[in-house]
DNA sequence: GTGAATCCTATGGGTTAAGTAGGGAATAGT
DNA sequence: ACTATTCCCTACTTAACCCATAGGATTCAC
């Protein structure tokens, strides 16, 4: 699982947007988002375009323009952000996990790939931008973090 | 999460190897593994070299040579296979999840990345080659698969 | 109309993924 | 000793992708 710079930037931009909207309803220019999280502005623009096409943000053109969350931060799931900028959560050689097929000793492998995807969904489709902003993650996610070596390398 | 062809091939080769060893102790040539799972032979050779360096298989050179599992299939975890051929399970812009650092609204983001990694570990570091071969996955993995839409796209 | 901002298309450089090619080194069977 | 088999190693290729950047066209508040 390589979380791309694109996805990382997208989440950070949305967090910054969510934070700004708590005190100010005006749209936030890409330039400001880029500054606050130290992101390359032109690249960020392309990412915001993806997020707009996916319906996660809305944009306002012209002077005093910028970006807004398309809905409350609590209703924007990280899974949606991943899919918007990087496509499906899990793929195996370009196939969706449930589309893979094998013969012989590898017969049951699709089950494993589907389980991998399901475990990603359990995190990404149940954590919202609001959750991350406030640091209050769902209980079952906190339970994952409680594993003794969750913060250690392997 | 893109599961690479390399990783896919590695797991399939190990499954085939485990299967063969249930009835025959002789080492299995790369050519045979390639045939049985329809993998490009030369590419597979490179992958088997990774697995050998990681201590997952042993090799025997010369006529009547081939590959063997370095230990019982029940003691080879998928996580080890992933790491052997593709490096760390999760990375963010080239960093390990626990090494990421952010300011401002993204403060709590490392927690999320660590949770993502933890959830992958819960599957990959608890399922062995033997489990996949027999189709008998651990209970908590089967529970993931029981989610109503585990097999559906999103 | 002017300046601020998004939107669109094109482009580039570097890295990686996936696979190929060719031959050297070891070994079992004869 | 010879031969066929098989692993081992280095180098190469080809295409795709990732991470941007450039330059302008369009929209809009004032």
């Amino acid at each position: 699982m390589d979380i791309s710079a694109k996805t990382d930037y997208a989440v950070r931009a949305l967090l910054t947007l969510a934070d700004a909207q708590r005190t100010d309803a005006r749209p936030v220019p890409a330039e400001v988002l880029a500054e606050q999280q130290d992101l390359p502005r032109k690249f960020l623009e392309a990412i915001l375009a993806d997020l707009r096409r996916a319906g996660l943000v809305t944009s306002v053109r012209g002077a005093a323009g910028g970006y807004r969350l398309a809905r409350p931060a609590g209703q924007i799931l990280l899974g949606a952000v991943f899919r918007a900028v990087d496509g499906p959560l899990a793929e195996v050689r370009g196939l969706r996990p449930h589309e893979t097929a094998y013969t012989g000793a590898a017969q049951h492998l699709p089950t494993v790939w589907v389980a991998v995807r399901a475990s990603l969904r359990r995190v990404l489709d149940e954590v919202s931008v609001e959750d991350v902003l406030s640091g209050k993650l769902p209980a079952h996610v906190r339970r994952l973090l409680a594993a003794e070596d969750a913060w250690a390398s392997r």
Side-chain angles (χ1 to χ4, degrees), chain A:
Chain A
M1 170 117 212
D2 273 20
I3 293 165
S4 65
K6 214 169 163 184
T7 302
D8 182 60
Y9 295 173
V11 175
R12 288 159 68 187
L14 291 172
L15 284 166
T16 308
L17 216 40
D19 193 32
Q21 292 194 357
R22 294 198 297 193
T23 59
D24 189 341
R26 285 175 301 181
V28 185
E31 177 66 31
V32 172
L33 297 174
E35 270 170 21
Q36 296 211 9
Q37 285 292 323
D38 194 29
L39 310 177
R41 185 177 139 264
K42 274 304 212 175
F43 191 31
L44 177 59
E45 268 187 42
I47 293 166
L48 287 164
D50 284 338
L51 296 176
R52 179 175 49 77
R53 279 186 287 269
L56 301 182
V57 302
T58 58
S59 62
V60 181
R61 300 179 74 164
Y67 296 88
R68 282 199 188 93
L69 296 183
R71 39 181 203 271
Q75 290 172 36
I76 298 179
L77 300 177
L78 295 190
V81 182
F82 273 63
R83 294 186 187 95
V85 300
D86 257 354
L89 287 191
E91 284 189 323
V92 183
R93 288 175 8 245
L95 297 175
R96 315 298 304 276
H98 63 273
E99 293 167 350
T100 59
Y102 304 93
T103 60
Q107 274 181 66
H108 300 110
L109 203 39
T111 317
V112 176
W113 301 152
V114 170
V116 166
R117 175 175 65 186
S119 90
L120 288 174
R121 286 177 172 175
R122 278 283 284 167
V123 175
L124 297 175
D125 281 340
E126 297 185 34
V127 171
S128 70
V129 168
E130 172 65 29
D131 294 335
V132 183
L133 186 59
S134 67
K136 289 173 186 158
L137 303 179
H140 76 274
V141 175
R142 283 207 311 274
R143 218 170 297 130
L144 281 173
L145 294 165
E148 66 212 273
D149 59 351
W151 290 82
S153 289
R154 279 200 190 165

